[in-house]
């Protein structure tokens, strides 16, 4: 059985979330800490933003045991949050900053709208171009 490198495709019953990771912590440190509870199939550590990761166990019972054993424990010298990963329903977060069209529209603020003033130097350039074209 091939294991996907994308943690989004891992079996959520065998997947554990780790929060509070420091940048010094690497996948081998996590493998060492979590392998005490069962066979670790894969480790994924976030880079942007850093501070969390996921562990994939072979058996869901091992995943649950690791949550009980390591939640609040020190890993790489710092206390970590360990919990079963949540099922995100296969949704992928968009990298764009555009708003989701399914959401209700944003309400307008009651503050008066600010107008952006154009640079006077740009107005002068435009005027000089317009004069040179009409000559």
């Amino acid at each position: 059985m091939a294991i996907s490198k994308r943690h989004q495709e891992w079996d959520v019953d065998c997947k554990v979330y780790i929060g509070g990771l420091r940048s010094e912590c690497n996948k081998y440190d996590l493998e060492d800490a979590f392998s005490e509870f069962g066979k670790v199939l894969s480790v994924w550590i976030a880079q942007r933003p850093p501070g969390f990761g996921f562990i994939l166990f072979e058996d869901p019972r091992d995943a649950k045991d690791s949550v009980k054993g390591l939640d609040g424990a020190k890993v790489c010298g710092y206390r970590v949050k360990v919990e079963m990963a949540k099922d995100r329903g296969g949704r992928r977060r968009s990298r764009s900053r555009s708003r989701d069209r399914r959401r209700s529209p944003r309400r307008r603020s009651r503050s008066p709208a600010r107008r952006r003033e154009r640079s006077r130097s740009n107005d002068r350039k435009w005027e000089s171009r317009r004069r040179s074209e009409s000559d």
Side-chain angles (χ1 to χ4, degrees), residues 29-89:
D29 296 327
L30 294 180
E31 278 180 17
D32 288 345
F34 283 83
S35 63
E36 173 183 337
F37 298 93
K39 185 173 181 183
V40 173
L41 298 178
S42 192
V43 177
W44 182 88
I45 299 175
Q47 301 299 315
R48 290 185 200 158
F52 71 98
F54 294 100
I55 304 286
L56 179 64
F57 280 95
E58 184 176 56
D59 189 310
R61 293 172 295 188
D62 296 337
K64 289 176 185 156
D65 290 344
S66 73
V67 170
K68 289 177 192 167
L70 290 176
D71 186 29
K74 285 188 175 183
V75 176
C76 300
Y78 296 94
R79 293 207 184 279
V80 293
K81 175 77 178 158
V82 180
E83 57 190 36
M84 292 302 295
K86 294 176 175 63
D87 186 7
R88 296 290 184 183

Side-chain angles (χ1 to χ4, degrees), residues 10-28:
W10 293 354
D11 179 2
V12 76
D13 294 329
C14 298
K15 183 177 171 181
V16 175
Y17 165 85
I18 310 104
L21 294 177
R22 302 290 193 237
S23 58
E24 308 88 52
C25 199
N26 63 45
K27 70 180 273 179
Y28 304 107

Side-chain angles (χ1 to χ4, degrees), residues 90-128:
R91 276 189 328 190
R92 291 220 17 169
R93 188 178 81 185
S94 171
R95 292 216 177 246
S96 74
R97 293 183 180 239
S98 64
R99 293 182 53 81
D100 189 348
R101 290 193 173 131
R102 290 175 286 166
R103 291 185 185 171
S104 61
R106 180 185 284 184
R107 293 183 183 194
R108 297 235 178 226
S109 70
R110 294 180 184 219
S111 61
R114 293 186 331 190
R115 290 195 173 181
R116 217 170 134 189
E117 293 188 27
R118 290 182 14 201
S119 164
R120 292 180 190 257
S121 63
N122 285 340
D123 285 344
R124 281 188 226 122
K125 289 176 188 173
W126 186 79
E127 283 293 326
S128 66

